[in-house]
Amino acid sequence: MKTLTLACAVAAACLTLGSFAKAEQANKISDSVVRIGVLTDMSGVFSDLAGPGAVTAAQMAIDDFVANAKPAFKIDLVTADHQNKADTATGIARQWYDTGGVDLITETINSGVALAVSGVAEAKNRMLIVTGSGSTRLTNEQCSPNTVSYSWDTYSYSRGQARIVKSMGLDTWYFVAVDYALGKSLVSEATEAIKASGGSVVGTVYHPISTADFSSFLLQAQSSKAKVIGLANAGADLLNSIKTARDFNITPAQTIVPLVGTITEVNALGAATAQGMLLIEPFYWDLNDTTRQWSQRFFDKFGKMPNFVQAGAYSAVTNYLQAVKAVGSDDPGAVMKHLKSTPINDMFAQNGRIREDGRMVKDIYLVQVKSPAEMKGKWDYYNVKETIPGDEAFQPLSTSRCKLVAKQN
């Protein structure tokens, strides 16, 4: 009887200590809730690329983390549509950070939006993990101790274009580019890489975002006789420019290379239209068993296979939550320190790492769209031509313009 009483007392003490430990961790979380905001384009030109799919991926990450890690703290998800307007995005970000209790904002597709929100995150000392925008200014001139550029950037994609020049002999390019930060950064980075690889750029034409008629822009590109027409745009603009190129029978005389194409656009176009196109991808659902298993779960919820923005949103939210649990706090400095010291290994990245400039470095892939005859089933769109190691793909720290990077003498 005494033994039983002692055992019960020990068990009760252990339960009490366990409850106390959980309460202690929860107490180190501001307002006892970790709140994540997905700030994205829900209805505009980038809504298919990010939008509801990114929200679905973020919610999957939270649900999986709760089920597997059983955290002591509560996790909430909030969402908003920035409408591709920097002022709208910063207004939402300020409200979320100031009164909404949001600890992390993620996604922020559209380079102008991401750069603006990054400034708010630093001013408010909160966190931002960018999965949609690819502006290299996020890790150079406007780098921030509060911001991570997670999925891709225009520098890494330009390395892929250089591989196309070297391996396939496609050495003359003409760019059709969207006239804002994304297009200008893509053209600048790609031009530098193409010239360094022995190629040349014979011209560039810029179009407004959300252009309805690409005829004049594509006719200029066609008349250039360049071997490659590089499309430096994204989302609906990319879809419409590719459709126009096909209407004018630009291929096969000239090769279409979307500088920021994804499986979302390929699926919308269909293999018959997209076949032969070369793309750079940070993620492909059919790479290995891990990517296939997660992607099938996403498909079951969303009805489409994920693109890299959506897969990146899942990975970013998951790794953020793991860091919060590991440090026992949602303090931005402590969480960021943990993220930058911990390898990222999941369905999105193997041996990924976040550098001091906020750049997450991982392998990316040069892929080519299959012909309909090559496809073994729905969504079997890509032949992976080359894996580009992260250290080769992303800008080296030795050339960084980020104030956070210690320069070697």
Side-chain angles (χ1 to χ4, degrees):
M1 188 68 178
K2 287 183 179 179
T3 303
L4 179 60
T5 302
L6 179 61
C8 289
V10 170
C14 289
L15 286 171
T16 301
L17 287 171
S19 299
F20 179 75
K22 282 194 170 186
E24 276 290 291
Q25 185 181 22
N27 288 338
K28 293 180 180 178
I29 304 297
S30 56
D31 70 12
S32 299
V33 178
V34 173
R35 194 166 284 109
I36 296 169
V38 178
L39 184 55
T40 187
D41 176 4
M42 294 293 286
S43 55
V45 66
F46 301 125
S47 57
D48 286 339
L49 185 58
V55 174
T56 297
Q59 188 62 61
M60 281 179 65
I62 292 171
D63 293 343
D64 288 351
F65 181 78
V66 170
N68 297 326
K70 297 178 174 53
F73 49 86
K74 183 181 177 183
I75 307 167
D76 283 347
L77 181 72
V78 296
T79 66
D81 185 353
H82 58 54
Q83 301 174 37
N84 291 301
K85 298 175 182 176
D87 56 347
T88 298
T90 54
I92 294 168
R94 288 192 184 98
Q95 187 275 318
W96 276 358
Y97 287 145
D98 285 342
T99 62
V102 169
D103 301 288
L104 167 74
I105 292 177
T106 191
E107 211 294 279
T108 60
I109 198 164
N110 182 313
S111 295
V113 165
L115 289 163
V117 174
S118 181
V120 177
E122 185 170 7
K124 303 295 183 181
N125 192 29
R126 297 294 178 90
M127 284 189 61
L128 170 67
I129 301 182
V130 177
T131 62
S133 168
S135 174
T136 55
R137 288 169 61 190
L138 287 165
T139 52
N140 280 298
E141 295 85 358
Q142 289 184 233
C143 70
S144 163
N146 298 76
T147 296
V148 175
S149 182
Y150 200 82
S151 299
W152 72 289
D153 64 22
T154 55
Y155 186 100
S156 62
Y157 273 42
S158 73
R159 300 307 99 178
Q161 277 100 52
R163 296 291 174 90
I164 293 171
V165 172
K166 288 183 177 180
S167 64
M168 308 185 77
L170 300 175
D171 56 0
T172 55
W173 292 59
Y174 188 99
F175 292 115
V176 176
V178 64
D179 192 13
Y180 78 106
L182 172 67
K184 292 177 181 179
S185 183
L186 282 169
V187 169
S188 174
E189 301 281 3
T191 297
E192 182 180 341
I194 289 164
K195 288 181 177 178
S197 300
S200 63
V201 175
V202 300
T204 303
V205 61
Y206 287 96
H207 66 83
I209 191 171
S210 301
T211 292
D213 185 357
F214 279 88
S215 300
S216 63
F217 306 110
L218 268 298
L219 285 172
Q220 289 181 62
Q222 186 177 38
S223 65
S224 74
K225 306 298 183 183
K227 294 179 183 177
V228 177
I229 298 176
L231 301 176
N233 49 21
D237 282 337
L238 176 59
L239 278 175
N240 290 333
S241 53
I242 293 172
K243 289 175 181 176
T244 303
R246 296 300 184 188
D247 289 344
F248 290 160
N249 295 316
I250 286 176
T251 59
Q254 293 167 291
T255 299
I256 301 295
V257 176
L259 272 60
V260 194
T262 76
I263 199 168
T264 298
E265 289 82 33
V266 171
N267 183 65
L269 291 165
T273 298
Q275 62 182 310
M277 287 195 315
L278 295 160
L279 302 93
I280 306 300
E281 283 274 20
F283 175 86
Y284 178 41
W285 73 269
D286 201 20
L287 280 173
N288 52 54
D289 288 343
T290 302
T291 58
R292 282 188 284 272
Q293 290 167 7
W294 180 82
S295 298
Q296 185 59 55
R297 291 178 54 228
F298 180 89
F299 180 88
D300 292 342
K301 291 180 178 293
F302 193 65
K304 298 177 182 178
M305 284 298 179
N307 59 42
F308 78 83
V309 177
Q310 295 153 357
Y314 177 93
S315 176
V317 171
T318 298
N319 282 280
Y320 170 78
L321 290 172
Q322 289 173 347
V324 170
K325 185 180 181 185
V327 301
S329 169
D330 58 359
D331 175 74
V335 173
M336 189 68 83
K337 182 178 180 181
H338 183 85
L339 283 171
K340 289 183 176 179
S341 63
T342 306
I344 295 171
N345 288 293
D346 58 15
M347 32 56 80
F348 187 68
Q350 288 296 304
N351 296 314
R353 70 186 192 281
I354 299 172
R355 302 185 313 200
E356 55 263 51
D357 60 348
R359 170 75 264 153
M360 200 273 268
V361 176
K362 64 177 291 294
D363 295 349
I364 61 174
Y365 309 94
L366 172 61
V367 303
Q368 188 165 32
V369 181
K370 294 179 178 180
S371 69
E374 293 178 283
M375 295 176 63
K376 297 178 181 178
K378 179 67 173 173
W379 295 97
D380 177 31
Y381 285 119
Y382 292 159
N383 283 316
V384 178
K385 307 293 286 185
E386 186 177 357
T387 298
I388 306 173
D391 286 335
E392 295 180 23
F394 291 96
Q395 179 182 5
L397 287 176
S398 60
T399 63
S400 174
R401 301 182 295 280
C402 173
K403 60 183 179 291
L404 304 173
V405 175
K407 297 299 182 181
Q408 299 296 321
N409 294 323

